[in-house]
């Protein structure tokens, strides 16, 4: 029988519990089901569907709005007892099984979303087996690397400051350390490469390919998740390389709006709230902001996990008639995070943090550790210890 161990290297999770991942998918499904159904799209494509924001979006739309879904993701299956693959691999399987039990289509493409081949495979599937059109396209990709589909050149993103170095406290979750880190400014090349990987170019390429193939329904909507943050994280996020990439998505949203105008389509940047995910845990300094922010939001009753946030976005805002847009036309579900009183209290708390108290009751350190563990199938609510063999895991298909 396999032993599942939660191992970390810094703020990167190594071990996974595939059965815990399955239970967590079920927990999210149950969260949505308890809220009841809502009127929403029926044919949805989610790019980056296997974890955190993309997965929660897919769960809300399938189990809340009754949508058939296609999910694209890049995950790895089990190889050996020491290498069981990635959590997203098992999330895809658990999602498909649960959706099919409800009579919903849940097709998974586990391949590189940046490539032309994947776009073509998805288009062929929509045409031949998915009813011909999609009415919502969600872009929720987070990646450190992208192969250019035209040139084959590989680009890497870097999470860096721009202009001046940034010095501040950060957290190592593996060693439970609070220490000072310096984030060096990026070179022009690093800025350009980060925009190439995490900017909006691939989103636009997807929408162009889908439009060209005539698989977008009249009135199609496409969403892409952004983060703007506040003055507390501006030096390393909004004002850094990631901020540049997100600004590029705003520009691409305008291009996509033009592209879709003749089919009454719309591209919306969704400025999502800070949550604990694989992608956010590795942003330097960000966990320090989060342990303070989440504490304040927990006390106010506004702290959200990805499923709570995504379900609110689609159920209440986009399809529920209560959207809040900013002057740039972006949807602002981060309204609870940027609330002035929440930010003032977060700022006060951040300034009181030190190596002695960062993991005490004064902060939400425990919340972050738990939420981070859950991403790999550990500390999952309602999980009951079970046995499974490597062979049985290998037989599971997405
Ligand atoms: P995540 O790391 O949990 O998920 C990323 C998804 O992209 C996974 O499904 C992964 O399989 C997929 N993916 C990565 N490379 C791929 C490739 N080459 N081909 C196909 N699929 C690939 O990330 P998370 O945190 O859910 O982020 C999603 C989006 O939400 C990002 O744009 C992020 O900037 C944004 N966001 C995240 C916030 C946070 O606090 N985590 C806050 C606001 C926005």
């Amino acid at each position: 029988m396999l032993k599942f161990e939660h191992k970390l290297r810094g703020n990167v999770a190594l071990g996974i519990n595939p059965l815990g991942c399955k239970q967590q998918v079920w927990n999210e499904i149950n969260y949505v089901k308890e809220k009841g159904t809502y009127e929403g799209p029926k044919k949805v494509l989610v790019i980056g569907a296997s974890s955190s924001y993309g997965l929660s979006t897919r769960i809300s739309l399938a189990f809340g709005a009754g949508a058939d879904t296609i999910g694209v993701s890049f995950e790895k299956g089990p190889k050996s007892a020491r290498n069981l693959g990635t959590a997203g691999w098992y999330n895809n399987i658990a999602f498909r099984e649960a959706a099919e039990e409800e009579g919903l289509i849940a097709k998974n493409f586990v391949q590189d979303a940046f490539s032309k081949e994947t776009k073509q495979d998805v288009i062929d599937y929509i045409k031949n087996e998915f009813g011909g059109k999609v009415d919502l396209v969600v872009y929720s990709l987070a990646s450190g690397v992208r192969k250019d589909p035209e040139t084959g050149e590989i680009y890497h993103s870097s999470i860096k400051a721009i202009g001046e170095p940034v010095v501040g406290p950060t957290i190592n979750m593996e060693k439970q350390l609070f220490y000072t880190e310096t984030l060096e400014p990026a070179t022009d090349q690093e800025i350009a490469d980060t925009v190439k990987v995490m900017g909006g170019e691939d989103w636009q390429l997807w929408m162009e390919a889908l439009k060209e193939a005539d698989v977008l329904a009249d009135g199609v909507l496409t969403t892409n998740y952004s983060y703007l943050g506040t003055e507390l994280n501006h030096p390393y996020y909004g004002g850094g390389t990631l901020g540049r990439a997100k600004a590029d998505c705003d520009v691409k949203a305008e291009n996509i709006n033009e592209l879709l105008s003749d089919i009454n389509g719309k591209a919306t940047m969704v400025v999502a709230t800070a949550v604990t995910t694989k992608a956010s845990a590795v942003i330097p300094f960000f966990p320090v902001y989060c342990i303070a922010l989440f504490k304040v939001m927990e006390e106010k009753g506004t702290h959200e996990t990805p499923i709570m946030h995504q379900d609110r976005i689609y159920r209440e805002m986009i399809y529920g008639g209560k959207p809040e847009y900013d002057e740039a036309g972006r949807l602002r579900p981060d309204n609870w995070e940027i609330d002035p009183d929440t930010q003032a209290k977060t700022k006060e708390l951040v300034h009181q943090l030190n190596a002695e108290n960062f993991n005490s009751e004064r902060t939400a350190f425990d919340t972050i550790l738990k939420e981070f563990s859950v991403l790999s199938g550990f500390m999952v609510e309602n999980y009951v210890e079970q046995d499974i063999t490597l062979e049985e895991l290998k037989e599971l298909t997405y």
Side-chain angles (χ1 to χ4, degrees), residues 322-339:
K322 286 186 229 143
E324 285 179 36
Y325 295 102
D326 62 18
E327 67 293 340
R330 295 174 294 221
L331 191 74
R332 299 306 298 264
D334 65 336
N335 48 0
W336 295 351
E337 174 183 347
I338 61 171
D339 160 66

Side-chain angles (χ1 to χ4, degrees), residues 47-54 72-75 111-114 139-143 145 198 224-227 237 246 270-280 286:
I47 302 156
S50 58
S51 60
S52 297
Y53 270 159
V72 181
S73 61
F74 207 48
E75 303 292 345
Q111 51 197 72
D112 182 13
F114 295 127
Y139 194 87
S140 184
L141 219 73
S143 176
V145 52
M198 283 297 287
N224 185 347
Y225 301 137
S226 186
Y227 183 72
Y237 197 102
K246 293 302 184 193
V270 176
V271 186
T273 197
V275 284
T276 314
T277 73
K278 239 170 36 184
S280 67
F286 200 59

Side-chain angles (χ1 to χ4, degrees), residues 42-44 58 62 66-71 95-96 99-100 102-108 125 129-131:
K42 294 294 174 227
K43 296 282 178 184
V44 177
R58 195 180 188 191
D68 290 329
T69 57
I70 299 172
F95 175 85
R96 181 188 54 73
E100 285 179 357
E102 304 269 321
L104 298 171
I105 299 175
K107 173 72 178 170
N108 289 312
Y125 180 79
E129 292 173 67
F130 202 63

